[in-house]
Amino acid sequence: MGLGRIKSETSGQRTGLLRGFSLEMTGKDVQALEEAADLLPPGTRVNVTYLGNEDFTTRVNAARVVRERGLTPVPHLSARRLRSKQELEEFLAALGEAGATEEVCVVGGDLGEPAGPYEDSLAVIRSGLLPEYGVRQVSVAGYPEGHPHIAPHLLWRLLEEKHRALRQQEIGMTVITQFGFDSGLVVDWVGEARDHGIGSPVRVGVPGPAGVKRLLRYARRFGVKSSAGIAQKYGFSLTNLLGTAGPDRFILSLGERLDPVGHGEVLLHFYTFGGLRATAQWVRDNESAVAS
């Protein structure tokens, strides 16, 4: 899809979505961040994931580098990977020393059984430890296309309980959705969140530009539905798996469907499957196109 069409059709909505975007890195992506930093607006939120194959020091160092580059670190806390209350406190303390505890993202984690006392992200929130270590804003996960192991009614109940628990601790909440390819499902989900009393900002998960094969691989991993459906809605061809796909069509459709009054604050969160710099460059190029 050409940028001229994007500009002429929905420049206002799309510019608003691209403004204030966030993106994601792993602890081992420090060099990639260095290479992308000049393309990122000051203060851009950069989530630092909590992967099982990375250690404590790697995660904290990545958050420190994000801060040193004039960006806003949002380190992840993976509830099921935390082995003890002491480990959680040590991690929060180290993040505090790195200037990286004002905002965190609390996720359940993908272990079948908890490694310690925290069964899910709500348990970490209810521990009461977050405000003690300077946390003022918490991101939690949202699932517009559902969760493979959690029923929809339970997902909504848990989101409401997280919202309530954070408000009681005077901590702000942001919802970051898992990435998807169907803008209609996303917009319907945001509307339903508002109906459930969740007025928090929503950051819609979007895959940055990446190879088609890689996108399909991550889609299967995270439970996104059929490859044929993805291709139809996202605008790439299954006969050209060597190609690259960007989020142009998805974001255009999202901008057309969103109503600022009814849907509230909606921003974008990029999953950088194709690389940090490629994603940052894509945003820079598209921002320039719609602003000109």
Side-chain angles (χ1 to χ4, degrees):
M1 178 176 298
L3 295 177
R5 179 183 167 192
I6 293 171
K7 178 181 177 181
S8 63
E9 291 189 14
T10 56
S11 60
Q13 298 100 315
R14 195 166 184 279
T15 303
L17 286 173
L18 287 176
R19 187 179 296 119
F21 71 94
S22 57
L23 45 74
E24 200 152 294
M25 66 177 287
T26 73
K28 295 177 181 176
D29 283 338
V30 168
Q31 182 59 42
L33 178 69
E34 299 277 14
E35 294 168 358
D38 63 310
L39 295 171
L40 297 171
T44 297
R45 286 166 174 77
V46 180
N47 285 39
V48 181
T49 59
Y50 196 112
L51 301 181
N53 61 357
E54 295 177 348
D55 60 21
F56 182 100
T57 302
T58 300
R59 300 179 193 117
V60 173
N61 180 61
R64 178 181 292 107
V65 173
V66 172
R67 173 67 70 192
E68 290 172 350
R69 295 301 169 268
L71 308 168
T72 302
V74 185
H76 285 207
L77 306 176
S78 182
R80 290 189 165 214
R81 292 190 179 278
L82 293 164
R83 292 169 293 184
S84 65
K85 177 184 175 185
Q86 180 180 351
E87 182 176 71
L88 173 56
E89 292 200 81
E90 288 176 354
F91 188 48
L92 289 170
L95 290 172
E97 292 176 4
T101 54
E102 187 171 336
E103 297 189 35
V104 300
C105 179
V106 186
V107 298
D110 53 4
L111 292 182
E113 295 294 331
Y118 305 110
E119 182 179 6
D120 53 23
S121 56
L122 183 59
V124 172
I125 292 168
R126 284 177 169 166
S127 73
L129 292 173
L130 300 183
E132 291 184 18
Y133 286 87
V135 175
R136 295 293 175 263
Q137 185 77 22
V138 169
S139 296
V140 299
Y143 300 91
E145 297 196 19
H147 189 287
H149 306 299
I150 305 175
H153 74 278
L154 183 55
L155 286 173
W156 285 119
R157 194 188 83 192
L158 290 171
L159 188 59
E160 290 170 345
E161 290 181 4
K162 292 170 195 175
H163 185 246
R164 186 159 46 249
L166 288 168
R167 274 198 311 182
Q168 289 171 350
Q169 298 175 64
E170 298 184 340
I171 296 175
M173 186 177 92
T174 299
V175 182
I176 298 179
T177 74
Q178 292 284 23
F179 77 92
F181 299 89
D182 188 330
S183 62
L185 283 177
V186 170
V187 172
D188 288 347
W189 185 91
V190 174
E192 193 169 354
R194 303 317 186 202
D195 291 341
H196 280 267
I198 309 297
S200 305
V202 173
R203 290 185 174 273
V204 175
V206 181
V212 171
K213 281 186 177 180
R214 178 171 291 186
L215 281 175
L216 292 175
R217 185 168 67 248
Y218 276 103
R220 286 190 294 270
R221 177 179 169 186
F222 288 102
V224 178
K225 304 299 188 294
S226 73
S227 297
I230 293 170
Q232 180 181 10
K233 292 182 180 299
Y234 212 62
F236 58 78
S237 172
L238 292 177
T239 62
N240 182 22
L241 295 180
L242 298 180
T244 298
D248 305 63
R249 179 179 292 190
F250 176 87
I251 295 174
L252 172 62
S253 178
L254 196 65
E256 290 173 335
R257 294 169 182 267
L258 284 170
D259 170 20
V261 176
H263 294 114
E265 186 175 4
V266 179
L267 301 162
L268 299 180
H269 178 76
F270 286 94
Y271 293 94
T272 56
F273 303 139
L276 280 161
R277 186 170 180 86
T279 299
Q281 186 67 63
W282 185 91
V283 175
R284 173 71 65 90
D285 291 345
N286 281 268
E287 281 184 323
S288 299
V290 297
S292 60

